[in-house]
Amino acid sequence: MPGQKPIKVALLGCGTVGTEVVRLLTDHAADLTARVGAPVELAGIAVRRPNKHREVPAELLTTDAQALVESDVDVVVEVIGGIEPTRTLLLQALRSGKSVVTANKALLAEHSGELFEAADSTGADLYFEAAVAGAIPLIRPLRESLAGDRITRVMGIVNGTTNFILSGMDSTGASYGETLEEATRLGYAEADPTADVDGFDAASKAAILASLAFHTRVTAADVHREGIAQVSAADIAAAKGLGRTVKLLAICERVSGGGADRNDTANASEFISVRVHPAMIPRTHPLAGVNGAFNAVFVEADAAGEMMFYGKGAGGAPTASAVLGDLVAVARNRVVSGRGPRESAYAALPVRPMGQTPTRYHISLDVADRPGVLSQVAAVFAEHDVSIAAVRQEGRVDDASLVIVTHAATDAALRSTVDKIGGLPVVRDVVSVMRVEGEES
Ligand SMILES: NC(=O)c1ccc[n+]([C@@H]2O[C@H](COP(=O)([O-])OP(=O)(O)OC[C@H]3O[C@@H](n4cnc5c(N)ncnc54)[C@H](O)[C@@H]3O)[C@@H](O)[C@H]2O)c1
Ligand SMILES: N[C@@H](CCO)C(=O)O
Ligand code: NA
Protein backbone atom coordinates (compact mmCIF):
# COMPACT_ATOMS: atom_id res chain seq x y z
CA MET A 1 0.00 0.00 0.00
CA PRO A 2 2.42 2.68 -1.11
CA GLY A 3 1.75 6.00 0.57
CA GLN A 4 -0.80 4.56 3.03
CA LYS A 5 -0.13 5.86 6.54
CA PRO A 6 1.11 3.01 8.76
CA ILE A 7 -0.97 1.80 11.71
CA LYS A 8 1.33 2.27 14.69
CA VAL A 9 1.11 -0.30 17.45
CA ALA A 10 2.24 -0.09 21.08
CA LEU A 11 2.76 -3.47 22.72
CA LEU A 12 2.43 -3.60 26.51
CA GLY A 13 4.11 -6.69 27.97
CA CYS A 14 6.44 -9.15 26.31
CA GLY A 15 6.08 -12.44 28.15
CA THR A 16 4.65 -15.74 26.88
CA VAL A 17 2.03 -14.10 24.65
CA GLY A 18 3.83 -10.82 23.87
CA THR A 19 6.92 -12.58 22.49
CA GLU A 20 4.73 -14.50 20.04
CA VAL A 21 2.85 -11.34 19.07
CA VAL A 22 6.17 -9.75 18.10
CA ARG A 23 7.17 -12.86 16.15
CA LEU A 24 3.91 -13.01 14.19
CA LEU A 25 3.98 -9.26 13.49
CA THR A 26 7.51 -9.58 12.15
CA ASP A 27 7.15 -12.85 10.25
CA HIS A 28 3.85 -11.92 8.60
CA ALA A 29 4.48 -8.22 8.02
CA ALA A 30 3.86 -8.29 4.26
CA ASP A 31 0.66 -10.35 4.55
CA LEU A 32 -0.62 -8.16 7.36
CA THR A 33 -0.04 -5.03 5.27
CA ALA A 34 -2.00 -6.56 2.40
CA ARG A 35 -4.83 -7.70 4.67
CA VAL A 36 -5.16 -4.40 6.51
CA GLY A 37 -4.55 -2.10 3.58
CA ALA A 38 -1.73 -0.28 5.41
CA PRO A 39 1.55 -1.29 7.02
CA VAL A 40 1.21 -2.42 10.64
CA GLU A 41 4.20 -0.99 12.44
CA LEU A 42 5.41 -1.92 15.92
CA ALA A 43 6.22 1.46 17.49
CA GLY A 44 7.37 0.29 20.93
CA ILE A 45 7.27 -2.52 23.48
CA ALA A 46 6.82 -1.78 27.19
CA VAL A 47 8.57 -4.28 29.44
CA ARG A 48 9.80 -4.37 33.01
CA ARG A 49 13.36 -5.59 32.43
CA PRO A 50 14.74 -4.69 28.96
CA ASN A 51 17.88 -6.79 29.39
CA LYS A 52 15.68 -9.92 29.53
CA HIS A 53 14.36 -9.44 25.99
CA ARG A 54 17.22 -10.17 23.62
CA GLU A 55 14.82 -11.71 21.08
CA VAL A 56 13.15 -8.38 20.24
CA PRO A 57 14.71 -5.25 18.66
CA ALA A 58 16.37 -3.33 21.53
CA GLU A 59 15.46 0.09 20.08
CA LEU A 60 11.75 -0.71 20.54
CA LEU A 61 11.98 -1.52 24.25
CA THR A 62 10.94 0.89 26.98
CA THR A 63 10.15 0.58 30.67
CA ASP A 64 7.76 3.54 30.49
CA ALA A 65 4.43 2.03 29.46
CA GLN A 66 2.54 5.25 30.13
CA ALA A 67 4.75 7.32 27.83
CA LEU A 68 4.35 4.67 25.13
CA VAL A 69 0.55 4.81 25.48
CA GLU A 70 0.67 8.60 25.30
CA SER A 71 2.90 8.58 22.20
CA ASP A 72 1.69 8.85 18.62
CA VAL A 73 0.29 5.30 18.27
CA ASP A 74 -3.03 4.10 16.83
CA VAL A 75 -3.45 0.83 18.68
CA VAL A 76 -2.43 -0.42 22.12
CA VAL A 77 -2.04 -4.21 22.49
CA GLU A 78 -2.04 -5.23 26.14
CA VAL A 79 -0.54 -8.58 27.21
CA ILE A 80 0.69 -7.69 30.70
CA GLY A 81 -2.28 -9.08 32.63
CA GLY A 82 -3.70 -8.13 36.05
CA ILE A 83 -5.79 -5.13 37.08
CA GLU A 84 -3.23 -2.36 37.64
CA PRO A 85 -1.43 -0.67 36.01
CA THR A 86 -3.23 -2.14 32.97
CA ARG A 87 -6.64 -0.65 33.85
CA THR A 88 -5.22 2.87 34.06
CA LEU A 89 -3.12 2.42 30.91
CA LEU A 90 -6.03 1.10 28.84
CA LEU A 91 -8.46 3.77 30.05
CA GLN A 92 -5.87 6.35 29.08
CA ALA A 93 -5.42 4.77 25.65
CA LEU A 94 -9.17 4.57 24.93
CA ARG A 95 -9.84 8.10 26.21
CA SER A 96 -7.24 9.42 23.81
CA GLY A 97 -8.89 7.59 20.90
CA LYS A 98 -6.48 4.66 20.59
CA SER A 99 -7.95 1.26 19.84
CA VAL A 100 -7.20 -1.45 22.36
CA VAL A 101 -6.61 -5.17 21.89
CA THR A 102 -6.28 -7.11 25.13
CA ALA A 103 -5.96 -10.73 26.32
CA ASN A 104 -6.75 -9.72 29.90
CA LYS A 105 -9.81 -11.65 31.15
CA ALA A 106 -9.31 -10.61 34.78
CA LEU A 107 -9.49 -6.92 33.86
CA LEU A 108 -12.45 -7.32 31.50
CA ALA A 109 -14.42 -9.39 34.00
CA GLU A 110 -14.20 -6.59 36.54
CA HIS A 111 -13.96 -3.38 34.55
CA SER A 112 -15.41 -3.91 31.09
CA GLY A 113 -18.14 -1.32 31.71
CA GLU A 114 -15.67 1.43 32.41
CA LEU A 115 -13.45 0.37 29.50
CA PHE A 116 -16.37 0.35 27.04
CA GLU A 117 -17.47 3.77 28.27
CA ALA A 118 -13.96 5.11 27.70
CA ALA A 119 -14.01 3.59 24.20
CA ASP A 120 -17.37 5.24 23.50
CA SER A 121 -16.10 8.63 24.61
CA THR A 122 -13.77 8.72 21.60
CA GLY A 123 -15.18 6.08 19.24
CA ALA A 124 -12.20 3.78 19.79
CA ASP A 125 -12.32 -0.03 19.41
CA LEU A 126 -12.01 -2.55 22.25
CA TYR A 127 -11.28 -6.12 21.10
CA PHE A 128 -10.50 -9.12 23.31
CA GLU A 129 -10.70 -12.45 21.43
CA ALA A 130 -7.65 -13.81 23.28
CA ALA A 131 -9.24 -13.26 26.70
CA VAL A 132 -11.52 -16.31 26.45
CA ALA A 133 -10.42 -19.69 25.15
CA GLY A 134 -7.19 -18.38 23.59
CA ALA A 135 -7.00 -19.07 19.87
CA ILE A 136 -10.57 -20.35 19.57
CA PRO A 137 -12.83 -17.84 17.82
CA LEU A 138 -15.57 -17.33 20.38
CA ILE A 139 -15.80 -13.63 21.23
CA ARG A 140 -16.33 -12.71 17.56
CA PRO A 141 -19.00 -15.40 16.99
CA LEU A 142 -20.88 -14.24 20.10
CA ARG A 143 -20.44 -10.50 19.42
CA GLU A 144 -20.98 -10.55 15.68
CA SER A 145 -21.93 -13.82 13.97
CA LEU A 146 -24.75 -14.63 16.42
CA ALA A 147 -25.82 -11.02 17.01
CA GLY A 148 -29.07 -11.67 15.15
CA ASP A 149 -30.00 -14.80 17.10
CA ARG A 150 -31.13 -15.45 20.68
CA ILE A 151 -28.49 -17.37 22.61
CA THR A 152 -29.95 -19.56 25.34
CA ARG A 153 -26.89 -21.32 26.73
CA VAL A 154 -23.11 -21.24 26.65
CA MET A 155 -21.42 -24.15 28.39
CA GLY A 156 -17.78 -24.97 28.13
CA ILE A 157 -14.38 -26.04 29.28
CA VAL A 158 -12.48 -22.75 29.35
CA ASN A 159 -9.50 -23.59 31.55
CA GLY A 160 -6.77 -25.85 30.21
CA THR A 161 -4.95 -26.42 33.49
CA THR A 162 -7.97 -27.85 35.29
CA ASN A 163 -9.01 -29.85 32.25
CA PHE A 164 -5.53 -31.36 32.08
CA ILE A 165 -5.81 -32.35 35.76
CA LEU A 166 -9.35 -33.78 35.52
CA SER A 167 -8.55 -35.69 32.31
CA GLY A 168 -5.44 -37.07 34.03
CA MET A 169 -7.45 -38.19 37.07
CA ASP A 170 -9.98 -39.83 34.76
CA SER A 171 -7.39 -41.78 32.79
CA THR A 172 -5.11 -42.85 35.69
CA GLY A 173 -7.44 -42.98 38.70
CA ALA A 174 -4.85 -40.92 40.63
CA SER A 175 -5.76 -38.36 43.29
CA TYR A 176 -6.16 -34.63 42.72
CA GLY A 177 -2.91 -33.88 44.61
CA GLU A 178 -0.83 -36.37 42.62
CA THR A 179 -2.23 -35.16 39.31
CA LEU A 180 -1.69 -31.47 40.16
CA GLU A 181 1.93 -32.29 41.00
CA GLU A 182 2.34 -33.97 37.61
CA ALA A 183 0.71 -31.01 35.83
CA THR A 184 3.10 -28.62 37.58
CA ARG A 185 6.11 -30.79 36.72
CA LEU A 186 5.09 -30.84 33.03
CA GLY A 187 4.53 -27.07 32.99
CA TYR A 188 0.75 -27.26 32.49
CA ALA A 189 0.01 -25.78 35.92
CA GLU A 190 1.68 -22.60 37.12
CA ALA A 191 3.80 -22.54 40.28
CA ASP A 192 0.84 -20.83 41.96
CA PRO A 193 -2.13 -22.64 40.41
CA THR A 194 -4.77 -20.87 42.55
CA ALA A 195 -6.37 -18.81 39.77
CA ASP A 196 -6.88 -21.96 37.71
CA VAL A 197 -7.73 -24.69 40.24
CA ASP A 198 -10.00 -22.48 42.36
CA GLY A 199 -11.94 -21.47 39.26
CA PHE A 200 -11.10 -17.73 39.22
CA ASP A 201 -9.77 -17.85 35.64
CA ALA A 202 -12.86 -19.73 34.42
CA ALA A 203 -15.16 -17.39 36.36
CA SER A 204 -13.65 -14.32 34.63
CA LYS A 205 -14.20 -16.02 31.28
CA ALA A 206 -17.77 -16.99 32.23
CA ALA A 207 -18.52 -13.34 33.10
CA ILE A 208 -17.23 -12.21 29.68
CA LEU A 209 -19.17 -14.92 27.82
CA ALA A 210 -22.42 -14.23 29.70
CA SER A 211 -22.12 -10.48 29.03
CA LEU A 212 -21.85 -11.09 25.30
CA ALA A 213 -24.37 -13.93 25.05
CA PHE A 214 -27.10 -12.17 27.04
CA HIS A 215 -26.43 -8.47 26.28
CA THR A 216 -26.04 -7.84 29.99
CA ARG A 217 -23.16 -6.46 32.04
CA VAL A 218 -21.92 -9.43 34.10
CA THR A 219 -18.86 -9.18 36.36
CA ALA A 220 -16.77 -11.86 38.08
CA ALA A 221 -18.63 -11.10 41.34
CA ASP A 222 -21.89 -12.27 39.70
CA VAL A 223 -20.42 -15.69 38.91
CA HIS A 224 -20.93 -18.59 41.32
CA ARG A 225 -17.51 -20.24 41.54
CA GLU A 226 -16.30 -23.64 42.76
CA GLY A 227 -12.88 -25.06 41.89
CA ILE A 228 -11.63 -28.62 41.48
CA ALA A 229 -9.58 -29.12 44.67
CA GLN A 230 -12.43 -31.08 46.28
CA VAL A 231 -12.82 -33.49 43.36
CA SER A 232 -11.70 -36.89 44.65
CA ALA A 233 -10.59 -40.09 42.97
CA ALA A 234 -13.86 -41.53 44.37
CA ASP A 235 -15.88 -38.89 42.48
CA ILE A 236 -14.08 -39.76 39.27
CA ALA A 237 -14.59 -43.50 39.81
CA ALA A 238 -18.27 -42.95 40.63
CA ALA A 239 -18.69 -40.95 37.43
CA LYS A 240 -16.94 -43.61 35.37
CA GLY A 241 -19.12 -46.34 36.84
CA LEU A 242 -22.15 -44.64 35.35
CA GLY A 243 -20.72 -43.69 31.97
CA ARG A 244 -19.91 -40.14 33.01
CA THR A 245 -16.80 -38.01 33.39
CA VAL A 246 -16.02 -34.97 35.53
CA LYS A 247 -15.28 -31.57 33.94
CA LEU A 248 -14.91 -28.05 35.31
CA LEU A 249 -17.67 -26.27 33.43
CA ALA A 250 -18.41 -22.61 32.87
CA ILE A 251 -22.18 -22.40 32.38
CA CYS A 252 -24.11 -19.31 31.31
CA GLU A 253 -27.82 -19.84 30.72
CA ARG A 254 -31.16 -18.11 30.45
CA VAL A 255 -33.66 -19.26 33.07
CA SER A 256 -37.25 -18.18 33.16
CA GLY A 257 -39.22 -16.68 36.04
CA GLY A 258 -39.15 -16.81 39.83
CA GLY A 259 -36.48 -16.18 42.43
CA ALA A 260 -34.65 -13.21 43.88
CA ASP A 261 -32.30 -10.93 42.04
CA ARG A 262 -29.67 -8.29 42.34
CA ASN A 263 -31.97 -5.27 41.98
CA ASP A 264 -35.68 -4.82 42.31
CA THR A 265 -36.64 -7.36 39.73
CA ALA A 266 -39.69 -8.84 41.35
CA ASN A 267 -41.45 -8.75 38.00
CA ALA A 268 -38.63 -10.05 35.86
CA SER A 269 -39.70 -12.95 33.68
CA GLU A 270 -36.21 -13.92 32.65
CA PHE A 271 -32.95 -14.34 34.55
CA ILE A 272 -29.51 -15.60 33.80
CA SER A 273 -27.43 -18.09 35.72
CA VAL A 274 -23.65 -17.82 35.47
CA ARG A 275 -21.55 -20.39 37.26
CA VAL A 276 -18.33 -22.36 37.31
CA HIS A 277 -18.22 -25.70 39.06
CA PRO A 278 -17.14 -29.30 38.52
CA ALA A 279 -19.91 -31.49 37.13
CA MET A 280 -20.42 -35.00 35.84
CA ILE A 281 -21.40 -35.12 32.18
CA PRO A 282 -22.25 -38.20 30.08
CA ARG A 283 -19.22 -39.63 28.29
CA THR A 284 -21.27 -39.30 25.11
CA HIS A 285 -21.58 -35.50 25.50
CA PRO A 286 -19.43 -33.53 23.00
CA LEU A 287 -17.55 -31.86 25.89
CA ALA A 288 -16.60 -35.22 27.43
CA GLY A 289 -14.10 -35.92 24.65
CA VAL A 290 -12.24 -32.65 25.26
CA ASN A 291 -9.11 -33.78 27.05
CA GLY A 292 -5.78 -32.44 28.24
CA ALA A 293 -5.18 -28.72 27.93
CA PHE A 294 -7.78 -28.23 25.17
CA ASN A 295 -10.80 -25.94 25.55
CA ALA A 296 -14.24 -26.29 24.02
CA VAL A 297 -17.41 -24.27 24.29
CA PHE A 298 -20.88 -25.47 23.44
CA VAL A 299 -23.33 -22.74 22.39
CA GLU A 300 -27.08 -23.09 21.93
CA ALA A 301 -29.13 -20.45 20.12
CA ASP A 302 -32.78 -20.41 19.08
CA ALA A 303 -32.30 -20.29 15.34
CA ALA A 304 -28.76 -21.62 14.94
CA GLY A 305 -29.25 -24.65 17.19
CA GLU A 306 -26.22 -26.28 18.82
CA MET A 307 -22.62 -25.34 17.98
CA MET A 308 -19.28 -26.32 19.43
CA PHE A 309 -16.03 -24.34 19.33
CA TYR A 310 -12.92 -26.40 20.03
CA GLY A 311 -9.16 -25.83 20.06
CA LYS A 312 -6.21 -24.48 21.98
CA GLY A 313 -7.27 -22.19 24.80
CA ALA A 314 -3.79 -21.17 25.94
CA GLY A 315 -0.12 -21.00 25.04
CA GLY A 316 1.95 -18.22 23.54
CA ALA A 317 1.38 -18.82 19.83
CA PRO A 318 -2.33 -19.80 19.95
CA THR A 319 -3.13 -16.79 22.15
CA ALA A 320 -1.05 -14.50 19.92
CA SER A 321 -3.06 -15.77 16.92
CA ALA A 322 -6.23 -14.35 18.51
CA VAL A 323 -4.42 -11.09 19.38
CA LEU A 324 -3.24 -10.70 15.78
CA GLY A 325 -6.74 -11.38 14.44
CA ASP A 326 -8.03 -8.54 16.61
CA LEU A 327 -5.16 -6.31 15.60
CA VAL A 328 -6.01 -6.83 11.92
CA ALA A 329 -9.67 -6.03 12.67
CA VAL A 330 -8.98 -2.78 14.54
CA ALA A 331 -6.34 -1.74 12.00
CA ARG A 332 -8.82 -2.35 9.15
CA ASN A 333 -11.40 -0.26 11.00
CA ARG A 334 -8.91 2.60 11.25
CA VAL A 335 -8.02 2.40 7.57
CA VAL A 336 -11.68 2.94 6.63
CA SER A 337 -12.38 5.25 9.61
CA GLY A 338 -14.89 2.70 10.84
CA ARG A 339 -15.56 1.08 14.16
CA GLY A 340 -16.17 -2.40 15.51
CA PRO A 341 -19.00 -3.44 17.84
CA ARG A 342 -19.66 -1.40 20.98
CA GLU A 343 -20.80 -2.81 24.30
CA SER A 344 -24.26 -4.34 24.06
CA ALA A 345 -25.76 -4.47 27.56
CA TYR A 346 -29.28 -3.24 26.82
CA ALA A 347 -31.05 -6.41 28.06
CA ALA A 348 -29.71 -5.94 31.63
CA LEU A 349 -31.06 -9.33 32.74
CA PRO A 350 -30.86 -10.04 36.48
CA VAL A 351 -28.41 -12.74 37.58
CA ARG A 352 -30.13 -15.42 39.65
CA PRO A 353 -28.12 -16.40 42.76
CA MET A 354 -26.89 -19.99 42.90
CA GLY A 355 -29.01 -20.64 45.99
CA GLN A 356 -32.05 -20.30 43.74
CA THR A 357 -30.63 -22.13 40.74
CA PRO A 358 -31.62 -25.79 40.92
CA THR A 359 -29.23 -28.32 39.40
CA ARG A 360 -29.24 -32.11 39.25
CA TYR A 361 -27.03 -34.16 41.54
CA HIS A 362 -25.34 -37.53 41.57
CA ILE A 363 -24.92 -39.09 45.03
CA SER A 364 -22.97 -42.30 45.66
CA LEU A 365 -23.36 -44.03 49.01
CA ASP A 366 -21.91 -47.12 50.65
CA VAL A 367 -24.79 -48.70 52.52
CA ALA A 368 -25.56 -51.84 54.50
CA ASP A 369 -27.14 -54.44 52.21
CA ARG A 370 -30.34 -55.35 54.00
CA PRO A 371 -34.06 -54.90 53.55
CA GLY A 372 -35.45 -51.42 54.04
CA VAL A 373 -32.23 -49.46 53.40
CA LEU A 374 -33.38 -48.02 50.10
CA SER A 375 -36.69 -46.91 51.54
CA GLN A 376 -34.96 -45.17 54.49
CA VAL A 377 -32.70 -43.28 52.10
CA ALA A 378 -35.56 -42.45 49.72
CA ALA A 379 -37.63 -41.13 52.64
CA VAL A 380 -34.96 -38.52 53.45
CA PHE A 381 -35.05 -37.27 49.86
CA ALA A 382 -38.85 -37.03 49.99
CA GLU A 383 -38.70 -35.21 53.33
CA HIS A 384 -36.51 -32.48 51.76
CA ASP A 385 -38.58 -32.31 48.60
CA VAL A 386 -35.67 -33.52 46.45
CA SER A 387 -37.06 -35.66 43.68
CA ILE A 388 -35.16 -38.81 42.67
CA ALA A 389 -34.69 -39.38 38.93
CA ALA A 390 -32.78 -42.69 38.99
CA VAL A 391 -31.42 -45.19 41.51
CA ARG A 392 -28.88 -47.95 41.01
CA GLN A 393 -27.85 -50.46 43.63
CA GLU A 394 -25.01 -52.93 43.38
CA GLY A 395 -24.70 -55.53 46.10
CA ARG A 396 -21.29 -56.59 47.34
CA VAL A 397 -20.45 -59.15 50.08
CA ASP A 398 -22.00 -57.49 53.11
CA ASP A 399 -22.73 -54.01 51.86
CA ALA A 400 -23.94 -52.25 48.72
CA SER A 401 -23.18 -49.25 46.58
CA LEU A 402 -26.19 -47.02 46.06
CA VAL A 403 -26.16 -44.37 43.35
CA ILE A 404 -28.92 -41.79 43.18
CA VAL A 405 -29.42 -39.12 40.53
CA THR A 406 -31.86 -36.37 41.44
CA HIS A 407 -34.08 -34.09 39.45
CA ALA A 408 -33.13 -30.41 39.73
CA ALA A 409 -32.75 -29.33 43.36
CA THR A 410 -31.25 -26.31 45.10
CA ASP A 411 -27.90 -26.51 46.90
CA ALA A 412 -29.57 -25.92 50.25
CA ALA A 413 -32.11 -28.75 49.84
CA LEU A 414 -29.44 -31.11 48.58
CA ARG A 415 -26.99 -30.28 51.41
CA SER A 416 -29.57 -30.92 54.13
CA THR A 417 -30.62 -34.15 52.43
CA VAL A 418 -27.03 -35.39 52.24
CA ASP A 419 -26.29 -34.35 55.84
CA LYS A 420 -29.25 -36.32 57.11
CA ILE A 421 -28.47 -39.36 54.94
CA GLY A 422 -24.85 -39.33 56.13
CA GLY A 423 -26.16 -39.68 59.69
CA LEU A 424 -28.37 -42.75 59.00
CA PRO A 425 -26.94 -45.85 60.76
CA VAL A 426 -27.37 -47.89 57.55
CA VAL A 427 -25.19 -45.47 55.53
CA ARG A 428 -21.51 -46.33 55.93
CA ASP A 429 -20.07 -43.61 53.73
CA VAL A 430 -21.16 -40.76 51.46
CA VAL A 431 -18.69 -41.54 48.66
CA SER A 432 -19.45 -38.76 46.23
CA VAL A 433 -21.83 -35.82 45.77
CA MET A 434 -21.55 -33.92 42.53
CA ARG A 435 -23.68 -31.91 40.13
CA VAL A 436 -24.78 -33.50 36.86
CA GLU A 437 -24.99 -31.48 33.63
CA GLY A 438 -25.60 -32.17 29.98
CA GLU A 439 -28.52 -34.56 30.46
CA GLU A 440 -32.24 -34.08 30.03
CA SER A 441 -33.89 -33.49 33.41
N1 LIG B 1 -0.25 -17.49 28.48
C1 LIG B 1 -1.42 -17.89 27.99
O1 LIG B 1 -1.59 -19.02 27.58
C2 LIG B 1 -2.57 -16.93 27.94
C3 LIG B 1 -3.76 -17.32 27.30
C4 LIG B 1 -4.84 -16.44 27.21
C5 LIG B 1 -4.72 -15.18 27.77
N2 LIG B 1 -3.57 -14.84 28.42
C6 LIG B 1 -3.50 -13.50 29.00
O2 LIG B 1 -2.47 -12.76 28.36
C7 LIG B 1 -1.89 -11.86 29.27
C8 LIG B 1 -0.39 -12.12 29.31
O3 LIG B 1 -0.13 -13.44 29.67
P1 LIG B 1 1.33 -14.09 29.57
O4 LIG B 1 1.13 -15.54 29.77
O5 LIG B 1 2.02 -13.62 28.37
O6 LIG B 1 1.99 -13.48 30.89
P2 LIG B 1 3.55 -13.33 31.20
O7 LIG B 1 3.67 -13.22 32.69
O8 LIG B 1 4.34 -14.35 30.49
O9 LIG B 1 3.87 -11.92 30.54
C9 LIG B 1 3.51 -10.69 31.09
C10 LIG B 1 4.69 -9.76 30.92
O10 LIG B 1 4.32 -8.45 31.31
C11 LIG B 1 5.43 -7.86 31.96
N3 LIG B 1 4.97 -6.74 32.77
C12 LIG B 1 4.43 -6.75 34.00
N4 LIG B 1 4.15 -5.49 34.40
C13 LIG B 1 4.52 -4.68 33.41
C14 LIG B 1 4.49 -3.29 33.23
N5 LIG B 1 4.01 -2.49 34.17
N6 LIG B 1 4.95 -2.78 32.07
C15 LIG B 1 5.44 -3.58 31.10
N7 LIG B 1 5.50 -4.93 31.22
C16 LIG B 1 5.05 -5.46 32.36
C17 LIG B 1 6.04 -8.99 32.75
O11 LIG B 1 7.37 -8.71 33.07
C18 LIG B 1 5.89 -10.15 31.78
O12 LIG B 1 7.01 -10.28 30.93
C19 LIG B 1 -2.62 -12.09 30.60
O13 LIG B 1 -3.69 -11.18 30.69
C20 LIG B 1 -3.14 -13.49 30.46
O14 LIG B 1 -4.29 -13.73 31.26
C21 LIG B 1 -2.50 -15.67 28.50
N1 LIG C 1 -4.37 -20.50 32.83
C1 LIG C 1 -5.26 -20.55 31.71
C2 LIG C 1 -4.59 -19.89 30.53
C3 LIG C 1 -5.54 -19.38 29.52
O1 LIG C 1 -6.33 -18.37 30.00
C4 LIG C 1 -5.61 -22.01 31.42
O2 LIG C 1 -5.13 -22.91 32.08
O3 LIG C 1 -6.43 -22.26 30.54
NA1 NA D 1 -10.77 -16.79 21.89
Side-chain angles (χ1 to χ4, degrees), residues 105 158-161 196 201 205 313-314:
K105 60 224 124 183
V158 292
N159 183 271
T161 307
D196 294 315
D201 176 79
K205 292 165 175 168

Side-chain angles (χ1 to χ4, degrees), residues 68-192:
L68 181 59
V69 166
E70 284 169 358
S71 72
D72 173 31
V73 293
D74 302 287
V75 182
V76 172
V77 173
E78 185 269 313
V79 281
I80 291 176
I83 306 295
E84 288 293 355
T86 47
R87 171 180 159 272
T88 303
L89 290 166
L90 296 191
L91 286 173
Q92 207 169 11
L94 292 164
R95 285 176 187 149
S96 59
K98 284 147 193 167
S99 298
V100 163
V101 173
T102 177
N104 192 334
K105 60 224 124 183
L107 178 66
L108 288 162
E110 282 192 27
H111 298 284
S112 68
E114 163 177 56
L115 291 165
F116 274 118
E117 278 156 23
D120 270 350
S121 71
T122 57
D125 272 338
L126 175 59
Y127 275 58
F128 45 94
E129 184 61 74
V132 184
I136 308 168
L138 187 60
I139 301 300
R140 198 168 275 105
L142 292 179
R143 251 206 322 180
E144 300 184 43
S145 321
L146 293 166
D149 208 334
R150 180 176 176 277
I151 296 172
T152 49
R153 197 156 200 254
V154 178
M155 174 163 104
I157 295 166
V158 292
N159 183 271
T161 307
T162 48
N163 200 50
F164 181 86
I165 295 170
L166 293 173
S167 310
M169 289 173 73
D170 185 89
S171 61
T172 63
S175 72
Y176 166 74
E178 287 163 339
T179 316
L180 171 60
E181 230 167 76
E182 174 79 348
T184 310
R185 199 177 56 74
L186 295 173
Y188 284 101
E190 295 190 28
D192 176 5

